[in-house]
Amino acid sequence: MKKLIMITSVALTLTLVAGCTNKSVVRYGDATEVETTDISFGSTDLQKVAGDMTDSLLVSPVVGTLTANTRPIMFVESIKNKTSEHIDTESITDSISTKLLRSGKFRFVDMGRVAAARKQLDYQQSSGMVDPNKAMQFGKQVGAQYMLYGNLASIVKSNKDQSDVYYKFTLRLMDLESGLVEWADETEIRKTKGKEFVSW
């Protein structure tokens, strides 16, 4: 009888312990919610810099003049990462391009896909698999009139009690024919992390 009570007691204890363990739970979150896991560049920062710069460009009087009667053709050069972190600057570039295209004020040339487009044109012209009357012709693509380019830089400082990171994102719009910079702006982010003391 004692043996049965002992086995039941151990089994009950194991069941209670197993029921109290931590388990991973996956949930969907709001992609626009402020993310403060750490002070590294994150999704909130990406959304802020892309949004601030796109809004600034679109309300600029210069862009108002450029887009008054036409939709200029632009290409966006990959944003340069001048920080000490690994940051996916292609995501920043993509967000800016998408917001500008949605505005209806610009058209884009995707320089990142030129090789793939050339490969498709070569296939249409020389494979013998495409009707020559329906194949796309070389030499008909349109060149960009403006180039949007910029960089993301940071300054990081820390001591035993606090860390501070400052980000500066700069963006410029260049007229490719004249070489003139028609518009420029920058936006900044500062993030700090420190120890908080809780009294009981």
Side-chain angles (χ1 to χ4, degrees):
M1 186 68 173
K2 283 184 180 181
K3 196 173 186 179
L4 181 62
I5 292 172
M6 176 88 95
I7 290 171
T8 307
S9 175
V10 169
L12 184 60
T13 303
L14 288 174
T15 305
L16 288 172
V17 169
C20 295
T21 60
N22 291 334
K23 58 182 182 178
S24 295
V25 178
V26 177
R27 292 186 181 96
Y28 283 98
D30 181 355
T32 60
E33 186 176 303
V34 174
E35 169 252 325
T36 56
T37 306
D38 60 28
I39 64 170
S40 300
F41 194 87
S43 61
T44 302
D45 306 316
L46 185 151
Q47 292 165 357
K48 179 189 180 331
V49 297
D52 287 356
M53 298 308 272
T54 305
D55 293 345
S56 173
L57 178 63
L58 290 173
V59 300
S60 161
V62 171
V63 169
T65 302
L66 295 176
T67 60
N69 299 312
T70 185
R71 289 177 64 208
I73 301 166
M74 178 189 296
F75 90 90
V76 181
E77 185 184 44
S78 293
I79 303 301
K80 302 279 187 282
N81 180 5
K82 295 187 172 185
T83 72
S84 58
E85 297 174 51
H86 171 73
I87 296 174
D88 181 9
T89 56
E90 187 175 348
S91 290
I92 300 171
T93 304
D94 289 345
S95 291
I96 290 169
S97 299
T98 301
K99 288 174 187 295
L100 290 174
L101 196 56
R102 281 183 184 165
S103 76
K105 293 188 175 190
F106 293 96
R107 294 176 292 164
F108 285 88
V109 174
D110 189 347
M111 296 305 293
R113 298 294 173 252
V114 169
R118 181 172 184 80
K119 187 175 178 182
Q120 177 56 214
L121 288 171
D122 283 338
Y123 168 77
Q124 290 185 27
Q125 293 296 315
S126 58
S127 70
M129 302 289 288
V130 177
D131 180 344
N133 296 323
K134 295 182 180 174
M136 298 294 106
Q137 301 298 311
F138 280 109
K140 303 243 178 169
Q141 291 187 1
V142 178
Q145 299 161 286
Y146 297 93
M147 177 174 75
L148 194 63
Y149 62 100
N151 61 65
L152 178 65
S154 69
I155 299 171
V156 180
K157 294 193 173 191
S158 62
N159 60 34
K160 63 180 182 147
D161 295 324
Q162 187 171 345
S163 297
D164 179 272
V165 62
Y166 165 81
Y167 296 101
K168 182 171 83 166
F169 181 54
T170 306
L171 203 59
R172 291 182 175 87
L173 179 68
M174 177 192 286
D175 181 320
L176 288 173
E177 188 171 60
S178 68
L180 294 173
V181 175
E182 297 284 356
W183 170 88
D185 202 356
E186 60 187 27
T187 188
E188 302 165 312
I189 296 172
R190 167 162 263 127
K191 296 166 88 174
T192 59
K193 178 173 124 179
K195 295 179 180 175
E196 290 187 4
F197 297 99
V198 179
S199 59
W200 296 93

